[in-house]
Amino acid sequence: MILENTVLDIAARGIILSAGAIVWVVILIRINGLRSLSKMTNFDFVMTVALGSLVAGAAQASSWSGFAQASAGMLGLFLVQFIAAYIRKTSDVAEAIMQNEPVFLMRNGKFLEDALRKTRVSKSDLIAKLREANALDLSCVRAVVLETTGDVSVLHGDALDETLIGDVRRF
């Protein structure tokens, strides 16, 4: 594809194609914005994973057409994400369809067993997240929320502004 010597060709392709794919991704992110690689929704997470797979495919392409196809796939992902973000922003119905709801796992120091069961989160995993968040006293934990991305947010302290939990689902 690039050089006559097979070993040197493999090395050159790996370096040149992966560099080209990364430069292409940076250009697409600059055009589409930093939101492109955020992890705000499950859709964003899928975008990031798929993009990584396409970059790997581009870096391993054995022909220029394979590299071009992977690059076109990256462009397609960014276009789909841009369109989906626009639709979500302009339509509450689309937002409800495309986005999961955050869910309470714990509220005012008490574990919510129904929510833990329905979300398939174990109590031991939740306790580990509490430790990560430096929660020292369960009675000071105002809320633990399983976010739309799968992250767990621990809100602890003396008070909790209800604005922060207004969209959280209660089981």
Side-chain angles (χ1 to χ4, degrees):
M1 192 166 131
I2 296 173
L3 301 171
E4 294 297 321
N5 182 303
T6 304
V7 174
L8 291 177
D9 184 63
I10 290 170
R13 275 189 293 149
I15 293 167
I16 293 168
L17 296 179
S18 60
I22 293 297
V23 167
W24 180 235
V25 168
V26 169
I27 291 168
L28 293 173
I29 290 170
R30 295 287 295 168
I31 292 168
N32 204 40
L34 288 176
R35 172 87 167 69
S36 303
L37 295 180
S38 73
K39 209 175 107 176
M40 297 175 81
T41 68
N42 52 356
F43 192 83
D44 296 330
F45 177 72
V46 170
M47 162 74 177
T48 302
V49 171
L51 184 61
S53 180
L54 284 168
V55 168
Q60 297 173 356
S62 57
S63 67
W64 288 112
S65 64
F67 180 77
Q69 184 176 2
S71 297
M74 290 179 227
L75 177 60
L77 276 178
F78 278 91
L79 287 172
V80 168
Q81 187 191 39
F82 179 83
I83 292 165
Y86 177 79
I87 291 169
R88 280 184 49 233
K89 187 176 179 181
T90 58
S91 168
D92 291 338
V93 172
E95 173 78 11
I97 291 169
M98 295 171 80
Q99 173 115 345
N100 294 324
E101 289 180 292
V103 177
F104 280 118
L105 299 177
M106 194 172 170
R107 189 76 167 105
N108 294 322
K110 300 206 179 346
F111 294 98
L112 303 176
E113 299 294 338
D114 284 346
L116 290 171
R117 187 174 24 78
K118 288 179 181 175
T119 59
R120 295 178 311 281
V121 174
S122 72
K123 199 177 227 181
S124 62
D125 287 342
L126 182 54
I127 290 170
K129 288 296 184 180
L130 291 166
R131 287 192 301 265
E132 278 181 23
N134 296 318
L136 302 175
D137 183 354
L138 291 181
S139 67
C140 293
V141 176
R142 299 293 155 239
V144 176
V145 178
L146 179 61
E147 301 291 355
T148 60
T149 60
D151 291 329
V152 174
S153 298
V154 178
L155 306 170
H156 54 93
D158 295 330
L160 177 61
D161 186 330
E162 291 295 315
T163 305
L164 295 174
I165 57 169
D167 65 338
V168 179
R169 184 175 176 192
R170 294 157 170 78
F171 279 108

